[in-house]
Coordinates of all heavy atoms in Angstrom, one line a residue:
M1 N -34.9 5.9 27.8 CA -36.1 5.7 28.7 C -36.7 7.0 28.9 O -36.0 8.1 29.0 CB -35.7 5.1 30.0 CG -35.4 3.6 29.9 SD -35.1 2.6 31.4 CE -35.1 3.7 32.8
S2 N -38.0 7.0 29.2 CA -38.7 8.2 29.5 C -38.5 8.6 30.9 O -38.1 7.8 31.7 CB -40.2 8.1 29.2 OG -40.8 7.2 30.1
I3 N -38.9 9.8 31.2 CA -38.7 10.3 32.6 C -39.6 9.5 33.6 O -39.2 9.1 34.7 CB -39.2 11.8 32.7 CG1 -38.2 12.7 31.9 CG2 -39.2 12.3 34.1 CD1 -36.8 12.7 32.4
L4 N -40.8 9.1 33.1 CA -41.7 8.3 33.9 C -41.1 6.9 34.2 O -41.2 6.4 35.3 CB -43.1 8.2 33.2 CG -44.1 7.5 34.1 CD1 -44.4 8.2 35.4 CD2 -45.4 7.4 33.2
A5 N -40.4 6.4 33.2 CA -39.8 5.1 33.4 C -38.6 5.2 34.4 O -38.4 4.3 35.2 CB -39.3 4.5 32.1
W6 N -37.9 6.2 34.3 CA -36.8 6.4 35.2 C -37.3 6.6 36.7 O -36.7 6.1 37.6 CB -35.9 7.7 34.9 CG -34.8 7.4 33.9 CD1 -34.8 7.7 32.6 CD2 -33.6 6.7 34.2 NE1 -33.7 7.3 32.0 CE2 -32.9 6.7 33.0 CE3 -33.0 6.2 35.3 CZ2 -31.6 6.1 32.9 CZ3 -31.8 5.6 35.2 CH2 -31.1 5.6 34.0
L7 N -38.4 7.4 36.8 CA -39.0 7.6 38.1 C -39.5 6.2 38.7 O -39.3 5.9 39.9 CB -40.1 8.6 38.1 CG -39.7 10.0 37.8 CD1 -40.9 10.9 37.7 CD2 -38.8 10.5 39.0
L8 N -40.2 5.5 37.9 CA -40.7 4.2 38.3 C -39.6 3.2 38.7 O -39.6 2.6 39.7 CB -41.6 3.6 37.3 CG -42.4 2.3 37.7 CD1 -43.2 2.6 38.9 CD2 -43.2 1.9 36.5
L9 N -38.5 3.1 37.8 CA -37.4 2.3 38.1 C -36.7 2.7 39.4 O -36.3 1.9 40.2 CB -36.4 2.2 36.9 CG -35.2 1.3 37.1 CD1 -35.7 -0.1 37.0 CD2 -34.2 1.6 35.9
G10 N -36.5 4.0 39.5 CA -35.9 4.6 40.7 C -36.7 4.3 42.0 O -36.1 4.0 43.0
L11 N -38.0 4.4 41.9 CA -38.8 4.2 43.0 C -38.7 2.7 43.5 O -38.5 2.4 44.6 CB -40.3 4.5 42.7 CG -41.3 4.1 43.8 CD1 -41.1 4.9 45.1 CD2 -42.7 4.3 43.3
I12 N -38.8 1.8 42.5 CA -38.7 0.4 42.8 C -37.4 0.0 43.4 O -37.3 -0.6 44.4 CB -39.1 -0.5 41.6 CG1 -40.5 -0.2 41.2 CG2 -38.9 -1.9 41.9 CD1 -40.9 -0.8 39.9
A13 N -36.3 0.5 42.7 CA -35.0 0.2 43.2 C -34.7 0.8 44.5 O -34.1 0.2 45.4 CB -33.9 0.7 42.2
G14 N -35.1 2.1 44.7 CA -34.9 2.7 46.0 C -35.7 2.0 47.1 O -35.2 1.9 48.3
F15 N -36.9 1.6 46.8 CA -37.7 0.9 47.8 C -37.0 -0.4 48.3 O -36.9 -0.7 49.4 CB -39.1 0.6 47.3 CG -40.0 -0.1 48.2 CD1 -40.6 0.5 49.3 CD2 -40.2 -1.5 48.0 CE1 -41.4 -0.2 50.2 CE2 -41.0 -2.2 48.9 CZ -41.6 -1.6 50.0
I16 N -36.6 -1.2 47.3 CA -36.0 -2.5 47.5 C -34.7 -2.3 48.3 O -34.4 -2.9 49.3 CB -35.7 -3.2 46.2 CG1 -37.0 -3.7 45.6 CG2 -34.8 -4.5 46.5 CD1 -36.8 -4.2 44.2
A17 N -33.9 -1.3 47.9 CA -32.6 -1.0 48.6 C -32.8 -0.6 50.0 O -32.1 -1.0 50.9 CB -31.8 0.0 47.8
S18 N -33.8 0.3 50.2 CA -34.1 0.8 51.6 C -34.6 -0.3 52.5 O -34.3 -0.4 53.7 CB -35.0 2.0 51.6 OG -36.3 1.6 51.2
K19 N -35.3 -1.3 51.9 CA -35.8 -2.4 52.7 C -34.6 -3.3 53.1 O -34.6 -3.9 54.2 CB -36.9 -3.2 52.0 CG -38.2 -2.5 51.8 CD -38.8 -2.2 53.2 CE -40.1 -1.6 53.0 NZ -40.7 -1.2 54.3
L20 N -33.7 -3.5 52.2 CA -32.5 -4.3 52.4 C -31.5 -3.7 53.3 O -30.9 -4.4 54.2 CB -31.8 -4.7 51.1 CG -32.6 -5.6 50.1 CD1 -31.9 -5.7 48.8 CD2 -32.8 -7.0 50.8
V21 N -31.3 -2.4 53.3 CA -30.3 -1.7 54.1 C -30.7 -1.4 55.5 O -30.1 -1.7 56.4 CB -29.8 -0.5 53.3 CG1 -28.9 0.3 54.3 CG2 -29.1 -0.8 52.1
N22 N -31.9 -0.9 55.6 CA -32.4 -0.4 57.0 C -33.7 -0.9 57.4 O -34.3 -0.4 58.3 CB -32.3 1.1 57.1 CG -33.2 1.8 56.2 OD1 -33.9 1.2 55.4 ND2 -33.3 3.1 56.4
R23 N -34.3 -1.9 56.7 CA -35.5 -2.6 57.0 C -36.8 -1.7 57.0 O -37.9 -2.1 57.3 CB -35.5 -3.3 58.4 CG -34.3 -4.2 58.5 CD -34.7 -5.5 57.9 NE -33.7 -6.5 58.2 CZ -33.2 -7.4 57.4 NH1 -33.7 -7.5 56.2 NH2 -32.3 -8.2 57.7
S24 N -36.6 -0.4 56.8 CA -37.8 0.5 56.7 C -37.5 1.5 55.6 O -36.4 1.9 55.3 CB -38.0 1.3 58.0 OG -37.0 2.1 58.3
G25 N -38.5 2.0 54.9 CA -38.4 3.0 53.9 C -37.9 4.3 54.4 O -38.0 4.6 55.5
S26 N -37.2 5.0 53.5 CA -36.7 6.3 53.9 C -37.6 7.4 53.5 O -37.3 8.6 53.6 CB -35.3 6.5 53.2 OG -34.4 5.5 53.6
G27 N -38.8 7.1 53.0 CA -39.8 8.1 52.5 C -39.8 8.0 51.0 O -38.8 7.6 50.3
L28 N -41.0 8.3 50.4 CA -41.2 8.1 49.0 C -40.2 8.9 48.2 O -39.6 8.4 47.3 CB -42.7 8.5 48.7 CG -43.1 8.3 47.2 CD1 -43.0 6.9 46.8 CD2 -44.4 8.9 47.0
L29 N -40.1 10.2 48.5 CA -39.2 11.1 47.7 C -37.8 10.7 47.8 O -37.0 10.6 46.8 CB -39.4 12.5 48.1 CG -38.6 13.6 47.3 CD1 -39.1 13.5 45.8 CD2 -38.9 14.9 47.9
L30 N -37.3 10.4 49.0 CA -35.9 10.0 49.2 C -35.6 8.6 48.5 O -34.6 8.4 48.0 CB -35.5 9.9 50.7 CG -34.1 9.7 51.0 CD1 -33.2 10.8 50.4 CD2 -33.9 9.6 52.5
D31 N -36.6 7.7 48.6 CA -36.4 6.4 47.9 C -36.3 6.6 46.4 O -35.5 6.0 45.8 CB -37.6 5.5 48.2 CG -37.6 4.9 49.5 OD1 -36.6 4.9 50.2 OD2 -38.6 4.3 49.9
I32 N -37.1 7.5 45.8 CA -37.0 7.8 44.4 C -35.7 8.4 44.0 O -35.0 8.0 43.1 CB -38.2 8.7 43.9 CG1 -39.5 7.9 44.0 CG2 -37.9 9.2 42.5 CD1 -40.7 8.8 43.7
V33 N -35.3 9.4 44.8 CA -34.0 10.1 44.5 C -32.8 9.2 44.6 O -32.0 9.1 43.7 CB -33.8 11.4 45.4 CG1 -32.5 11.9 45.3 CG2 -34.9 12.4 45.1
L34 N -32.8 8.4 45.7 CA -31.7 7.5 45.9 C -31.7 6.4 44.9 O -30.7 5.9 44.4 CB -31.7 6.9 47.3 CG -31.4 7.9 48.4 CD1 -31.5 7.2 49.8 CD2 -30.0 8.5 48.3
G35 N -32.9 5.9 44.4 CA -33.0 4.9 43.4 C -32.5 5.4 42.1 O -31.8 4.7 41.3
I36 N -32.8 6.7 41.7 CA -32.4 7.2 40.4 C -30.9 7.4 40.5 O -30.2 7.1 39.5 CB -33.1 8.5 40.1 CG1 -34.6 8.2 39.8 CG2 -32.5 9.2 38.9 CD1 -35.5 9.4 39.7
V37 N -30.4 8.0 41.6 CA -28.9 8.2 41.7 C -28.3 6.8 41.7 O -27.2 6.6 41.1 CB -28.6 9.0 43.0 CG1 -27.1 9.0 43.2 CG2 -29.1 10.4 42.9
G38 N -28.9 5.9 42.4 CA -28.4 4.5 42.4 C -28.3 3.9 41.0 O -27.4 3.0 40.8
A39 N -29.3 4.2 40.2 CA -29.3 3.7 38.8 C -28.0 4.1 38.1 O -27.3 3.4 37.4 CB -30.5 4.0 38.0
F40 N -27.7 5.4 38.2 CA -26.5 5.9 37.6 C -25.2 5.3 38.2 O -24.3 4.9 37.5 CB -26.4 7.4 37.7 CG -27.4 8.2 36.8 CD1 -28.5 8.8 37.4 CD2 -27.2 8.2 35.5 CE1 -29.4 9.4 36.6 CE2 -28.0 8.8 34.6 CZ -29.2 9.5 35.2
V41 N -25.2 5.2 39.6 CA -24.0 4.6 40.3 C -23.9 3.2 39.9 O -22.8 2.7 39.6 CB -24.2 4.8 41.8 CG1 -23.1 4.0 42.5 CG2 -24.1 6.3 42.2
G42 N -25.0 2.4 39.9 CA -25.0 1.0 39.5 C -24.5 0.8 38.1 O -23.7 -0.1 37.8
G43 N -25.0 1.7 37.2 CA -24.6 1.6 35.8 C -23.1 1.9 35.6 O -22.4 1.2 34.9
W44 N -22.5 2.8 36.4 CA -21.1 3.1 36.3 C -20.3 1.9 36.9 O -19.3 1.5 36.3 CB -20.9 4.4 37.1 CG -19.4 4.8 37.1 CD1 -18.7 5.4 36.2 CD2 -18.5 4.5 38.2 NE1 -17.4 5.5 36.5 CE2 -17.2 5.0 37.8 CE3 -18.5 3.9 39.4 CZ2 -16.1 4.9 38.5 CZ3 -17.4 3.7 40.2 CH2 -16.2 4.3 39.7
L45 N -20.8 1.4 38.1 CA -20.1 0.3 38.7 C -20.1 -0.9 37.8 O -19.0 -1.6 37.6 CB -20.7 -0.1 40.0 CG -20.5 0.8 41.2 CD1 -21.3 0.4 42.4 CD2 -19.0 0.8 41.6
F46 N -21.2 -1.2 37.2 CA -21.3 -2.4 36.3 C -20.4 -2.2 35.1 O -19.8 -3.2 34.6 CB -22.7 -2.7 35.9 CG -23.4 -3.6 36.9 CD1 -23.7 -3.2 38.2 CD2 -23.9 -4.8 36.5 CE1 -24.3 -3.9 39.1 CE2 -24.6 -5.6 37.4 CZ -24.8 -5.2 38.7
N47 N -20.3 -1.0 34.5 CA -19.5 -0.7 33.4 C -18.0 -0.9 33.8 O -17.2 -1.3 33.0 CB -19.7 0.7 32.9 CG -20.9 0.8 32.0 OD1 -21.3 -0.2 31.3 ND2 -21.5 1.9 32.0
Q48 N -17.6 -0.5 35.0 CA -16.2 -0.7 35.5 C -15.8 -2.1 35.5 O -14.7 -2.5 35.3 CB -16.0 0.0 36.9 CG -16.2 1.4 36.9 CD -15.3 2.2 35.9 OE1 -14.1 1.9 35.9 NE2 -15.8 3.1 35.1
F49 N -16.8 -3.0 35.8 CA -16.5 -4.5 35.8 C -16.8 -5.2 34.5 O -16.9 -6.4 34.5 CB -17.3 -5.1 37.0 CG -16.9 -4.7 38.3 CD1 -17.6 -3.9 39.1 CD2 -15.6 -5.1 38.8 CE1 -17.2 -3.5 40.4 CE2 -15.2 -4.8 40.1 CZ -16.0 -3.9 40.9
G50 N -17.0 -4.4 33.5 CA -17.2 -5.0 32.1 C -18.6 -5.4 31.7 O -18.8 -6.1 30.7
N51 N -19.6 -5.1 32.5 CA -21.0 -5.4 32.2 C -21.7 -4.1 31.7 O -21.2 -3.0 31.9 CB -21.7 -6.0 33.4 CG -21.2 -7.3 33.8 OD1 -20.8 -8.1 33.0 ND2 -21.1 -7.5 35.1
S52 N -22.9 -4.3 31.1 CA -23.6 -3.1 30.7 C -24.4 -2.6 31.9 O -24.7 -3.3 32.8 CB -24.6 -3.5 29.6 OG -25.5 -4.4 30.0
G53 N -24.7 -1.3 31.8 CA -25.5 -0.6 32.8 C -27.0 -0.8 32.6 O -27.4 -1.7 32.1
V54 N -27.7 0.3 33.0 CA -29.1 0.3 32.8 C -29.4 0.4 31.3 O -29.0 1.2 30.6 CB -29.8 1.5 33.6 CG1 -31.2 1.6 33.3 CG2 -29.5 1.4 35.1
S55 N -30.2 -0.6 30.9 CA -30.5 -0.7 29.4 C -31.9 -0.5 29.1 O -32.3 -0.6 27.9 CB -30.0 -2.1 28.9 OG -30.7 -3.1 29.6
G56 N -32.8 -0.2 30.0 CA -34.2 -0.1 29.8 C -35.0 -0.4 31.0 O -34.4 -0.6 32.0
F57 N -36.2 -0.7 30.8 CA -37.1 -1.0 31.9 C -37.3 -2.5 31.9 O -38.2 -3.1 31.3 CB -38.5 -0.3 31.8 CG -39.3 -0.4 33.1 CD1 -38.9 0.4 34.2 CD2 -40.3 -1.2 33.2 CE1 -39.6 0.4 35.3 CE2 -41.1 -1.3 34.4 CZ -40.7 -0.5 35.4
N58 N -36.3 -3.3 32.5 CA -36.3 -4.7 32.6 C -35.7 -5.2 33.9 O -35.2 -4.3 34.7 CB -35.6 -5.3 31.4 CG -34.2 -4.7 31.2 OD1 -33.5 -4.5 32.2 ND2 -33.8 -4.5 30.0
L59 N -35.7 -6.5 34.1 CA -35.2 -7.0 35.4 C -33.7 -6.7 35.6 O -33.2 -6.5 36.7 CB -35.5 -8.5 35.5 CG -36.9 -8.8 35.8 CD1 -37.1 -10.3 35.8 CD2 -37.4 -8.3 37.1
Y60 N -32.9 -6.8 34.5 CA -31.5 -6.6 34.6 C -31.2 -5.1 35.1 O -30.4 -4.9 36.0 CB -30.8 -6.9 33.3 CG -29.3 -6.5 33.4 CD1 -28.4 -7.4 34.1 CD2 -28.8 -5.4 32.8 CE1 -27.1 -7.1 34.1 CE2 -27.4 -5.1 32.9 CZ -26.6 -6.0 33.5 OH -25.2 -5.7 33.6
S61 N -32.0 -4.2 34.5 CA -31.8 -2.8 34.8 C -32.2 -2.5 36.3 O -31.6 -1.8 37.0 CB -32.6 -1.9 33.9 OG -32.1 -2.0 32.6
L62 N -33.2 -3.3 36.7 CA -33.7 -3.2 38.1 C -32.6 -3.7 39.1 O -32.4 -3.1 40.1 CB -35.0 -3.9 38.3 CG -35.6 -3.9 39.7 CD1 -35.9 -2.4 40.1 CD2 -36.9 -4.7 39.8
L63 N -32.0 -4.8 38.7 CA -30.9 -5.3 39.5 C -29.7 -4.3 39.6 O -29.2 -4.0 40.6 CB -30.4 -6.6 38.9 CG -29.1 -7.2 39.6 CD1 -29.4 -7.7 40.9 CD2 -28.5 -8.2 38.7
V64 N -29.3 -3.7 38.4 CA -28.3 -2.7 38.4 C -28.6 -1.5 39.2 O -27.8 -1.0 40.0 CB -28.0 -2.3 36.9 CG1 -27.0 -1.1 36.9 CG2 -27.4 -3.5 36.1
A65 N -29.9 -1.0 39.1 CA -30.3 0.2 39.9 C -30.4 -0.1 41.3 O -30.0 0.7 42.2 CB -31.6 0.6 39.3
T66 N -30.8 -1.4 41.7 CA -30.9 -1.7 43.1 C -29.5 -1.8 43.7 O -29.3 -1.4 44.8 CB -31.7 -3.0 43.3 OG1 -33.0 -2.9 42.7 CG2 -31.9 -3.4 44.7
V67 N -28.6 -2.4 43.0 CA -27.2 -2.5 43.6 C -26.6 -1.1 43.8 O -26.0 -0.8 44.8 CB -26.3 -3.4 42.6 CG1 -24.8 -3.3 43.0 CG2 -26.7 -4.8 42.7
G68 N -26.8 -0.3 42.8 CA -26.3 1.1 42.9 C -27.0 1.8 44.1 O -26.4 2.6 44.8
A69 N -28.3 1.6 44.2 CA -29.1 2.3 45.3 C -28.6 1.8 46.6 O -28.6 2.5 47.6 CB -30.6 2.1 45.1
I70 N -28.3 0.5 46.7 CA -27.8 0.0 48.0 C -26.4 0.7 48.4 O -26.2 1.1 49.5 CB -27.6 -1.5 47.9 CG1 -29.0 -2.2 47.9 CG2 -26.7 -2.1 49.1 CD1 -28.9 -3.7 47.7
V71 N -25.6 0.8 47.4 CA -24.3 1.5 47.6 C -24.6 3.0 48.0 O -24.0 3.5 49.0 CB -23.4 1.5 46.3 CG1 -22.2 2.4 46.5 CG2 -23.0 0.0 46.0
V72 N -25.5 3.7 47.3 CA -25.8 5.1 47.6 C -26.4 5.2 49.0 O -26.1 6.0 49.8 CB -26.7 5.7 46.5 CG1 -27.2 7.0 46.9 CG2 -25.9 5.8 45.2
L73 N -27.3 4.3 49.3 CA -28.0 4.3 50.6 C -27.1 4.0 51.8 O -27.2 4.6 52.8 CB -29.2 3.3 50.6 CG -30.2 3.4 51.7 CD1 -30.9 4.8 51.6 CD2 -31.3 2.4 51.5
A74 N -26.1 3.1 51.5 CA -25.1 2.8 52.6 C -24.3 4.0 52.9 O -24.0 4.3 54.0 CB -24.3 1.6 52.2
I75 N -23.8 4.7 51.8 CA -23.0 5.9 52.0 C -23.9 7.0 52.6 O -23.4 7.7 53.5 CB -22.5 6.3 50.6 CG1 -21.5 5.3 50.1 CG2 -21.9 7.7 50.7 CD1 -21.0 5.5 48.7
Y76 N -25.1 7.1 52.2 CA -26.0 8.1 52.8 C -26.1 7.9 54.3 O -26.1 8.8 55.1 CB -27.4 8.0 52.1 CG -28.4 8.9 52.8 CD1 -28.5 10.2 52.5 CD2 -29.4 8.3 53.6 CE1 -29.5 11.0 53.0 CE2 -30.3 9.1 54.2 CZ -30.4 10.5 53.9 OH -31.4 11.2 54.5
H77 N -26.3 6.6 54.7 CA -26.5 6.3 56.2 C -25.2 6.5 56.9 O -25.2 6.9 58.1 CB -27.0 4.9 56.4 CG -28.5 4.8 56.1 ND1 -29.4 5.4 56.9 CD2 -29.2 4.2 55.2 CE1 -30.6 5.2 56.5 NE2 -30.5 4.4 55.4
L78 N -24.1 6.2 56.3 CA -22.8 6.5 56.9 C -22.6 8.0 57.2 O -22.1 8.4 58.3 CB -21.6 6.0 56.1 CG -21.4 4.5 56.1 CD1 -20.3 4.1 55.1 CD2 -21.0 4.0 57.5
I79 N -22.9 8.8 56.3 CA -22.8 10.2 56.4 C -23.7 10.8 57.4 O -23.4 11.6 58.3 CB -22.9 11.0 55.1 CG1 -21.7 10.6 54.1 CG2 -23.0 12.5 55.2 CD1 -21.9 11.0 52.7
F80 N -25.0 10.5 57.3 CA -26.0 11.2 58.1 C -26.3 10.5 59.4 O -26.8 11.2 60.3 CB -27.3 11.3 57.3 CG -27.2 12.3 56.2 CD1 -27.1 12.0 54.9 CD2 -27.1 13.7 56.5 CE1 -27.0 12.9 53.9 CE2 -27.0 14.7 55.5 CZ -26.9 14.3 54.2
S81 N -25.9 9.3 59.6 CA -26.1 8.7 60.9 C -25.0 9.1 61.9 O -25.3 9.2 63.1 CB -26.1 7.1 60.8 OG -24.9 6.7 60.4
R82 N -23.9 9.5 61.4 CA -22.8 10.0 62.3 C -23.1 11.4 62.8 O -22.7 11.8 63.9 CB -21.5 10.0 61.5 CG -21.0 8.6 61.3 CD -19.6 8.6 60.7 NE -19.3 7.2 60.3 CZ -18.3 6.6 60.8 NH1 -17.5 7.2 61.6 NH2 -18.0 5.4 60.5
R83 N -23.8 12.2 62.0 CA -24.2 13.5 62.4 C -25.2 13.5 63.6 O -25.2 14.4 64.4 CB -24.8 14.3 61.3 CG -23.8 14.7 60.3 CD -24.5 15.7 59.3 NE -23.5 16.1 58.3 CZ -23.8 16.8 57.3 NH1 -25.0 17.3 57.1 NH2 -22.8 17.1 56.4
A84 N -26.0 12.4 63.7 CA -27.0 12.3 64.7 C -26.3 12.0 66.0 O -26.9 12.1 67.1 CB -28.1 11.3 64.3
L85 N -25.1 11.4 66.0 CA -24.5 11.0 67.2 C -23.9 12.1 68.0 O -23.6 13.0 68.2 CB -23.4 9.9 66.9 CG -23.9 8.6 66.4 CD1 -22.6 7.8 66.0 CD2 -24.7 7.9 67.4

């Protein structure tokens, strides 16, 4: 996939994940970064369970990236929300 496709997939996955996890976006840049990292994490997780990871710009890859972004976002909130307390 091209860099632009990774950015777009990361933006969409990060946006969906941030809406599911904390009901508000975390900001455009953070959504993109967490979505791209989530795509890698989701691909790794899906490979561990015997499925394929991100395979291109399609709905399955969006699902994989979103699941990974939810995991990354949950860990992110666990780490940084405790510092605020």
Side-chain angles (χ1 to χ4, degrees):
M1 284 187 357
S2 70
I3 297 295
L4 186 60
W6 272 104
L7 289 175
L8 186 60
L9 184 69
L11 172 65
I12 296 169
F15 177 77
I16 292 170
S18 66
K19 292 295 183 184
L20 291 173
V21 171
N22 64 353
R23 306 275 187 221
S24 64
S26 301
L28 181 64
L29 184 61
L30 189 59
D31 283 347
I32 290 173
V33 170
L34 291 176
I36 292 171
V37 171
F40 287 109
V41 170
W44 180 80
L45 284 173
F46 273 63
N47 281 329
Q48 296 300 312
F49 291 110
N51 295 322
S52 62
V54 175
S55 60
F57 194 75
N58 53 37
L59 287 176
Y60 178 74
S61 295
L62 181 61
L63 173 73
V64 171
T66 302
V67 168
I70 288 171
V71 170
V72 169
L73 196 58
I75 293 170
Y76 173 82
H77 282 294
L78 283 174
I79 293 171
F80 288 106
S81 66
R82 290 183 187 243
R83 285 187 181 179
L85 296 175

